[in-house]
Amino acid sequence: MKKQILIVLLLSAAGISSYAQCDKKIVFTSGKTEFLNSNNELQKTKEELTTVEYDSKEIIITPGDNIMEGTVNSVSCDWKTPFKEGKTVIKATLTSANGKTMNMTITIEGIDGKLTLLGEFDEMADRKIRLTPDKFEEKK
């Protein structure tokens, strides 16, 4: 019985920790944008400042002078070490400055302490965007 209670407590703590990671406001900044095809092969690289700011409710992506804002439809987190080992997957609906609406899946993944962000638009299955952060921080 003690083992069962301990297991339930550990699972509850893991769930709360995972939810807490998903609920934080995060700012991700990169100086380089990589454009990939559907096979994750690099097609071109663009030197530009891109900022991605998100929490569990909203997301703002600013590549260069453009702004895309949207609603987070779902977010899931599984980090063994916050923002070093693990993954966050965000599904969002974004609206660009010209009024175009797109659905996007963003995967932020940490492997061996190295973070990457991969963005995939539902409407453009043959094009992906990858960012590697120069700066990654929690916003208060």
Side-chain angles (χ1 to χ4, degrees), residues 22-69:
C22 282
D23 204 35
K24 294 178 180 178
K25 184 171 280 268
I26 303 296
V27 180
F28 183 107
T29 306
S30 176
K32 178 173 71 170
T33 302
E34 297 177 320
F35 298 89
L36 313 173
N37 64 17
S38 59
N39 296 320
N40 291 333
E41 297 165 332
L42 183 63
Q43 301 299 296
K44 85 175 179 179
T45 301
K46 186 174 182 181
E47 298 292 327
E48 68 179 349
L49 181 65
T50 300
T51 302
V52 179
E53 184 175 327
Y54 69 91
D55 60 21
S56 62
K57 295 181 176 86
E58 63 184 357
I59 186 165
I60 301 169
I61 302 174
T62 311
D65 294 331
N66 300 315
I67 296 176
M68 295 183 286
E69 296 182 75

Side-chain angles (χ1 to χ4, degrees), residues 66-70 93-103 123:
N66 300 315
I67 296 176
M68 295 183 286
E69 296 182 75
T93 302
L94 297 168
T95 303
S96 63
N98 66 7
K100 184 176 180 181
T101 300
M102 298 171 280
N103 294 302
E123 295 79 8

